[in-house]
Amino acid sequence: MDNFYAPGKNHLFVPGPVNIPEPVIRAMNRNNEDYRSPAIPAMTKILLEDVKKIFKTTTGTPFMIPTTGTGAWESALTNTLSPGDRIVSFLIGQFSLLWIDQQQRLKFNVDVVESEWGQGANLDVLAEKLAADRTHTIKAICIVHNETATGVTNNLATVRKLLDHYGHPALLLVDGVSSICALDFRMDEWGVDVALTGSQKALSLPTGIGIVCASPKALEATKTAKSVRVFFDWNDYLKFYKLGTFWPYTPSIQLLYGLRAALDLIFEEGLDNVIERHRRLGKATRLAVEAWGLKNCTQKEEWFSDTVTAVLVPPYIDSSEIVKRAWKRYNLSLGLGLNKVAGKVFRIGHLGNLNEQTIALITKQ
Ligand code: PLP
């Protein structure tokens, strides 16, 4: 009975991996080809220019690494920092927790700033730390823009303002895995030094490309960063960029064609329109949750996420039962509550390839 799969179309409402648009599926349905032929480098060159647009950067250098968000994290950290470096990192949910775990395992000296799950990063504590750090021992600030476990969006513009206010040179490393291509994100304007995302989120591709974008300051930092890195070494990529062949190892050909098609769709709609669509559908989801008489796990409106809503269930209900039942009975995939909020919330993903009709499927429950 546990393997029973309900009839009808699967309604995928987890906050990644998300539904893939038909033109993207079709673009990926192709044979392998020689990535050293002239065709793949020519396509890669244009893709590298085009992915900069989703980060809103003109000065950043992108890397399209065959990996997931977790690998993109590792690439950001190991290319810019050395073991023992002091970093400030905000713990607000499962994904920031996992990133902090990675930071600690890579032997950085992490100042963990913890908030209750459902709240955003505590930027008052950041201000205190920056004010006290006159000798600039803090080398980087690591922050998850959108915490997918709780549906909390952090205010990156304020982080930048604080760094500027205290004249602090720390690098700003941002996980944009469930934000980039869906939420307002401005790499250059906010002085983000490394921004990263994963292909299975708002880009609406299969899992498998971690896109990382480095500012000139982050590239400079690689020269002194002593962390061991091999697969993720940006210098290997840069060497091949210079040669015009672009790839230090085999890329996923199909995913590159998929990325081309995904970017074409985003640019045709207009990135700002894509962001506006997410704002509208995020709000619609929250209104529906309110109408069901349920509460949002996110405690204040300023942190509401337009890509994922974590819905609190009454204490006498186990939210994982709701997820299980939705899947069995309606072929509807909702996100489970993770770690501290397991059993307490279920999550509705509203990012990537979706429109009003798609959202109506779930909000009319
Ligand atoms: N960061 C955030 C905000 C995420 O939501 C996720 C995954 O859901 C990750 C990082 C990890 O990405 P991946 O599972 O692709 O390694």
Side-chain angles (χ1 to χ4, degrees):
M1 192 65 182
D2 265 356
N3 291 329
F4 174 74
Y5 205 79
K9 190 180 174 313
N10 175 243
H11 302 297
L12 185 60
F13 280 96
V14 294
V18 307
N19 294 290
I20 308 173
E22 285 298 328
V24 175
I25 292 176
R26 283 196 294 275
M28 291 185 299
N29 185 9
R30 55 195 309 136
N31 197 2
N32 279 325
E33 46 184 288
D34 177 13
Y35 72 94
R36 295 195 172 94
S37 76
I40 297 295
M43 176 166 76
T44 304
K45 188 173 181 197
I46 300 170
L47 279 175
L48 284 170
E49 273 312 303
D50 280 349
V51 289
K52 285 197 218 169
K53 296 176 192 160
I54 64 172
F55 293 95
K56 294 208 171 145
T57 182
T58 54
T59 56
T61 301
F63 303 97
M64 304 181 295
I65 307 172
T67 186
T68 72
T70 305
W73 280 341
E74 191 166 330
S75 135
L77 297 168
T78 56
N79 279 283
T80 56
L81 297 165
S82 304
D85 275 354
R86 181 179 175 206
I87 60 185
V88 175
S89 209
F90 300 94
L91 199 178
I92 65 165
Q94 180 64 6
F95 294 99
S96 38
L97 174 75
L98 288 173
W99 199 15
I100 287 167
D101 174 57
Q102 186 185 76
Q103 290 152 16
Q104 289 169 335
R105 285 156 71 180
L106 288 166
K107 306 276 184 260
F108 303 119
N109 174 12
V110 191
D111 283 14
V112 178
V113 181
E114 190 164 1
S115 301
E116 200 182 311
W117 290 28
Q119 294 184 0
N122 190 331
L123 301 186
D124 293 337
V125 174
L126 176 64
E128 284 163 22
K129 285 185 183 289
L130 293 175
D133 187 33
R134 301 236 164 75
T135 54
H136 298 160
T137 59
I138 300 169
K139 298 299 174 209
I141 311 296
C142 294
I143 187 162
V144 174
H145 187 198
N146 187 78
E147 174 51 76
T148 323
T150 52
V152 164
T153 304
N154 284 312
N155 190 330
L156 298 179
T158 303
V159 176
R160 170 45 58 200
K161 264 191 209 134
L162 288 173
L163 282 164
D164 289 350
H165 178 77
Y166 292 104
H168 202 292
L171 293 166
L172 178 54
L173 311 187
V174 177
D175 168 331
V177 171
S178 58
S179 76
I180 287 165
C181 270
L183 305 183
D184 186 22
F185 185 86
R186 310 175 194 191
M187 181 163 176
D188 285 358
E189 193 179 319
W190 295 338
V192 173
D193 290 298
V194 186
L196 57 95
T197 189
S199 50
Q200 78 276 22
K201 301 284 187 180
L203 273 163
S204 306
L205 284 162
T207 315
I209 312 184
I211 308 180
V212 182
C213 199
S215 73
K217 188 168 145 190
L219 283 188
E220 197 54 35
T222 61
K223 294 181 184 155
T224 48
K226 293 193 177 59
S227 294
V228 173
R229 50 190 187 270
V230 181
F231 184 79
F232 293 118
D233 199 331
W234 295 345
N235 283 319
D236 291 342
Y237 275 85
L238 292 172
K239 194 169 91 190
F240 284 91
Y241 287 5
K242 250 192 208 141
L243 292 171
T245 49
F246 293 102
W247 293 102
Y249 34 66
T250 317
S252 161
I253 304 295
Q254 290 78 6
L255 277 176
L256 292 182
Y257 281 100
L259 178 59
R260 179 67 271 155
L263 291 175
D264 286 345
L265 290 178
I266 288 166
F267 298 152
E268 190 183 326
E269 185 178 354
L271 182 58
D272 288 336
N273 294 331
V274 171
I275 293 164
E276 175 57 25
R277 171 165 55 81
H278 281 84
R279 200 196 57 73
R280 218 167 45 241
L281 299 179
K283 187 163 184 202
T285 309
R286 290 190 291 277
L287 286 173
V289 170
E290 212 179 296
W292 299 337
L294 295 175
K295 286 208 157 43
N296 195 325
C297 169
T298 309
Q299 294 179 11
K300 282 192 193 159
E301 198 173 334
E302 63 178 284
W303 298 313
F304 281 168
S305 164
D306 287 332
T307 55
V308 52
T309 300
V311 183
L312 281 168
V313 300
Y316 53 88
I317 294 176
D318 176 357
S319 65
S320 47
E321 272 306 311
I322 296 180
V323 175
K324 206 190 270 177
R325 233 179 248 208
W327 187 75
K328 275 190 173 179
R329 177 97 189 265
Y330 302 109
N331 209 344
L332 166 66
S333 300
L334 297 169
L336 281 165
L338 302 172
N339 197 337
K340 271 195 190 176
V341 288
K344 297 181 182 158
V345 308
F346 66 88
R347 293 173 301 146
I348 304 170
H350 34 90
L351 73 163
N353 175 35
L354 76 174
N355 61 24
E356 284 77 359
Q357 289 299 324
T358 331
I359 277 292
L361 265 172
I362 189 149
T363 53
K364 282 187 181 158
Q365 300 294 316

